[in-house]
Amino acid sequence: MSLKATFERNRQRYEEELTDFLKIPSVSARSEHKQDLARCAEWLAGKLTEVGMAAEVIATPGHPIVYGELLEAGEDAPTVLVYGHYDVQPVEPLDEWESPPFEPTVRDGRIYARGSADDKGQIYLHVKALEAYREAVGTPPINLKFIFEGEEEVGSDNLENFVRNNKERLASDACVVSDTPMLAADLPSVVIGLRGLVYIEVRLRGPRQDLHSGAYGGAVTNPANALAGMIAALKDDKGRITLPGFYDDVIEPSDEEKKALAEIPTTEKELLEQTGAPALGDGEEGVHFLNRIWTRPTLDVNGLLSGYTGEGAKTIIPATAMAKISLRLVPNQDPEAVTQALEEQLRSLLPVGLEMEIERHSWGLPWYSDPAGPLFRAASTAVKEVFGRGPLFIREGGSIPIVPMIERELGVPVLLLGFVLPGSNLHSPNEWLSIEMYHKGIATVTRLYDAIAREYRA
Ligand code: BES
Ligand code: MN
Ligand code: MN
């Protein structure tokens, strides 16, 4: 049977199985979901077994890793490592979801559910691609190793150790990851740059308890005022981050990339529609809005907490203030050096009368890859066969810390080939996956097997 007929015949089942996958609430950040992650890993490993892989669930000090192998193409054939994550982000605020996050619902050709786009739908399309290929054609012409983790959204700590300690087992010629968006339904995209990440939590402590702001205000330092001022001082009036030496290691995009940017049809209006923001911010002066996301570093407050936030007014000086602050970094910035500069800057900005604690959370290296060589040629071929045109090579503003790590530790090129449309509400309420892109993803991956086999044998 042809691949096309196989896709047609199984189309509905591919969607139903994804729905089952999406029903499992695999929220890695929440300890109350620990059992759900374990159950999700078992479910996924079962599916890998069903499509002919030798699969296992590997326990870690955190959530398990799912690993599967199909090494039937022979020693001369190339081996491809497919990475993805089955954990998802928390779902709050729940009342903003039009249908419950773990009851997948189809509306307007989209599956709405937490994890549909990031990243369960995008790993499951690899599972179904392998199934379809075996059903329609037979054993794929490449060896396949699937590694799916349950801790991407919380920093991939245990996967990092696993990769470091299992280099031989994971040895491969290329790595393929579907965990990124594409520019539009008719603009397939390969992502060649990701930002890195530094994430800290700052806690300020002033008086022993909340105080009457009339009785003490003016004499006692207010932690909320102080924190607001400290955060404000981290950027200047041109939108530039004030940490000393912060921009020294930033690499300008190449002329080729600058030229490519002019051909990208994404508009500011689309960004406004996606976000619902009343207008785009000033951002960094003189930088194209896409480059502000793709090739320039940023600093953002991700959470802020202090004082009285209930109904009406309450005149107090809060005892504490807390902020979660992250920076997105670009090549060649060093997360460790940036964290140290940030900690030092915050210490120097701290007014008298307060104590400060800084806790470090996740971090990740920025990443950039020159889209040359057999892997990228194969991707172009496969994409062209399914979408009728080759991919755009773009950068993205998000982070996947394991990507630079896999590239370095295993010494393989990484292809980021994702099928998520812009505005899919990753990490937000009402996350969705285009059903059409899911099926096109399955088809593209089957074409990629052949294209990689050809390119690596040539
Ligand atoms: N799939 C995303 C990364 C992504 C998002 C890449 C948008 C390109 C565009 C990934 O699951 C993610 O959310 N990563 C985190 C990293 C963190 C938790 C260490 C991120 O970017 O915030
Ligand atoms: Mn993801
Ligand atoms: Mn994510």
Side-chain angles (χ1 to χ4, degrees):
M1 198 187 295
S2 73
L3 271 164
K4 199 156 169 261
T6 302
F7 295 146
E8 302 266 295
R9 201 160 60 84
N10 295 309
R11 196 178 162 91
Q12 199 181 339
R13 187 172 49 78
Y14 295 164
E15 292 169 28
E16 284 163 4
E17 288 178 20
L18 175 57
T19 298
D20 291 340
F21 193 18
L22 293 172
K23 281 182 185 163
I24 308 173
S26 50
V27 182
S28 52
R30 289 281 153 78
S31 49
E32 73 254 32
H33 285 297
K34 194 165 174 56
Q35 281 316 309
D36 295 317
L37 277 112
R39 185 157 57 92
C40 199
E42 289 295 341
W43 185 93
L44 186 54
K47 292 298 175 186
L48 298 194
T49 308
E50 273 179 36
V51 299
M53 292 188 125
E56 61 181 302
V57 173
I58 299 163
T60 78
H63 304 301
I65 292 166
V66 176
Y67 182 70
E69 279 182 351
L70 183 71
L71 308 178
E72 286 175 2
E75 274 184 24
D76 295 338
T79 299
V80 172
L81 180 69
V82 176
Y83 160 82
H85 62 96
Y86 68 84
D87 66 322
V88 303
Q89 284 276 327
V91 295
E92 290 77 9
L94 242 186
D95 56 359
E96 287 185 26
W97 286 78
E98 273 170 46
S99 50
F102 299 113
E103 292 173 27
T105 307
V106 174
R107 291 192 296 276
D108 309 325
R110 301 165 168 183
I111 302 181
Y112 282 85
R114 170 59 87 232
S116 53
D118 187 12
D119 181 33
K120 284 169 159 175
Q122 300 215 76
I123 63 181
Y124 209 62
L125 66 86
H126 281 273
V127 182
K128 293 299 100 174
L130 176 53
E131 179 196 293
Y133 197 99
R134 290 183 76 236
E135 192 178 321
V137 186
T139 302
I142 58 175
N143 298 305
L144 284 165
K145 299 178 175 179
F146 284 5
I147 187 157
F148 300 137
E149 68 163 317
E151 297 187 305
E152 196 275 344
E153 301 290 10
V154 292
S156 300
D157 285 356
N158 290 301
L159 184 67
E160 272 187 30
N161 289 331
F162 185 81
V163 170
R164 247 184 229 119
N165 297 328
N166 290 273
K167 288 190 195 174
E168 220 139 279
R169 194 174 186 191
L170 299 176
S172 37
D173 299 287
C175 176
V176 177
V177 179
S178 297
D179 192 21
T180 46
M182 52 199 284
L183 278 188
D186 57 353
L187 295 177
S189 312
V190 165
V191 170
I192 57 167
L194 293 167
R195 289 196 287 189
L197 186 72
V198 155
Y199 199 122
I200 62 156
E201 181 170 331
V202 188
R203 293 186 291 264
L204 299 188
R205 162 157 287 285
R208 187 185 324 116
Q209 57 195 17
D210 292 357
L211 301 174
H212 192 295
S213 64
Y216 298 100
V220 171
T221 309
N222 182 322
N225 291 28
L227 189 56
M230 291 162 72
I231 292 168
L234 293 175
K235 279 194 182 180
D236 68 16
D237 57 3
K238 299 220 162 21
R240 285 170 71 91
I241 292 147
T242 56
L243 302 179
F246 184 72
Y247 292 94
D248 290 358
D249 297 330
V250 171
I251 295 179
E252 281 282 307
S254 66
D255 289 344
E256 217 167 305
E257 270 193 288
K258 281 186 189 149
K259 246 199 300 173
L261 193 70
E263 274 148 48
I264 288 171
T266 307
T267 62
E268 297 199 19
K269 188 159 158 278
E270 282 169 332
L271 224 63
L272 290 176
E273 275 162 15
Q274 280 167 35
T275 60
L280 292 187
D282 293 337
E284 200 182 349
E285 211 171 66
V287 182
H288 187 279
F289 75 99
L290 282 176
N291 271 335
R292 288 183 195 161
I293 303 172
W294 291 354
T295 67
R296 300 295 293 172
T298 57
L299 180 149
D300 281 290
V301 174
N302 302 114
L304 201 53
L305 193 66
S306 184
Y308 180 70
T309 56
E311 194 183 351
K314 185 185 183 201
T315 45
I316 53 153
I317 293 173
T320 61
M322 182 278 280
K324 294 181 190 271
I325 302 173
S326 66
L327 290 101
R328 297 281 172 174
L329 307 180
V330 299
N332 275 329
Q333 289 182 295
D334 171 16
E336 177 59 34
V338 169
T339 309
Q340 280 178 23
L342 177 63
E343 286 171 348
E344 225 162 276
Q345 181 95 327
L346 288 170
R347 272 196 292 273
S348 77
L349 288 166
L350 183 71
V352 288
L354 297 173
E355 277 163 13
M356 178 169 65
E357 260 176 55
I358 299 175
E359 186 184 345
R360 294 183 180 194
H361 290 296
S362 35
W363 69 277
L365 288 167
W367 177 77
Y368 175 81
S369 176
D370 181 9
L375 180 60
F376 291 93
R377 283 200 302 273
S380 294
T381 305
V383 164
K384 223 174 274 166
E385 286 178 28
V386 174
F387 286 85
R389 59 155 294 162
L392 290 169
F393 295 99
I394 62 169
R395 293 213 216 181
E396 273 294 338
S399 310
I400 312 176
I402 203 70
V403 164
M405 156 94 193
I406 286 175
E407 185 184 75
R408 199 186 49 216
E409 295 291 328
L410 302 180
V412 293
V414 183
L415 170 69
L416 298 188
L417 179 59
F419 302 95
V420 159
L421 293 180
S424 295
N425 295 327
L426 313 183
H427 297 199
S428 299
N430 304 309
E431 178 179 349
W432 55 270
L433 177 71
S434 154
I435 295 174
E436 191 197 343
M437 291 307 123
Y438 173 59
H439 291 293
K440 281 197 162 163
I442 295 172
T444 305
V445 171
T446 61
R447 303 325 309 139
L448 190 60
Y449 296 166
D450 289 336
I452 288 178
R454 275 197 307 270
E455 287 289 345
Y456 277 79
R457 277 185 178 140

